[in-house]
Amino acid sequence: MNILITAAIPADDGLSVSFHSPAGSGTGTWMGITPKIGDELDVEFDLEEVFSLGKNLMPSSRKTPSITVENKVTYITAELIQDEDGEYTALKFGDSIILIELDEPLTQKVGFVEVTASRIRLYPTNT
């Protein structure tokens, strides 16, 4: 996913960055060489959560990918996709794929979902 770095703040667990993307704005822990404010970078998201339907993963009536932050919690709306064997689950976020871990396999097709995540790691792909 392409993002624009809007802030970089040292944190206990590394460097916290704020970013803007075509789908909205968010924050995450930066994993790599320190970016500069204004850098436009391609990144991979790592959501450090185990997701559970009805808890931090909910069906969404929205059909457009988005990302927002409220009270240090990131809300991501994306299409949930799974392979036929249920071996992997991912969020299709525009042209990007974000692999996620579920606490148990889903038995029905869900479509668009909203996930809440308290920890996101951002890995630059073009460094």
Side-chain angles (χ1 to χ4, degrees):
M1 172 185 302
N2 288 318
I3 64 169
L4 171 70
I5 303 296
T6 58
I9 303 163
D12 292 339
D13 59 349
L15 183 69
S16 177
V17 297
S18 297
F19 63 88
H20 182 72
S21 76
S25 298
T27 60
T29 301
W30 189 258
M31 308 303 294
I33 298 170
T34 302
K36 296 181 180 90
I37 295 172
D39 282 353
E40 292 184 32
L41 302 165
D42 185 62
V43 298
E44 288 184 14
F45 279 60
D46 179 21
L47 305 181
E48 294 186 12
E49 315 278 335
V50 175
F51 293 95
S52 177
L53 188 61
K55 293 184 182 173
N56 57 356
L57 184 143
M58 304 290 282
S60 175
S61 60
R62 296 162 82 194
K63 305 296 182 211
T64 304
S66 69
I67 185 167
T68 59
V69 177
E70 294 178 27
N71 298 322
K72 297 185 181 182
V73 175
T74 302
Y75 297 87
I76 298 174
T77 302
E79 184 178 3
L80 186 74
I81 57 175
Q82 291 183 294
D83 67 340
E84 290 182 13
D85 299 330
E87 292 182 26
Y88 79 85
T89 304
L91 299 173
K92 186 173 187 319
F93 193 82
D95 292 337
S96 298
I97 298 293
I98 304 169
L99 294 175
I100 63 170
E101 182 180 350
L102 298 176
D103 65 344
E104 60 184 49
L106 298 176
T107 57
Q108 77 261 3
K109 181 174 168 65
V110 177
F112 271 78
V113 295
E114 180 177 81
V115 299
T116 55
S118 57
R119 290 189 45 110
I120 297 176
R121 290 183 189 248
L122 302 170
Y123 293 86
T125 62
N126 54 354
T127 57

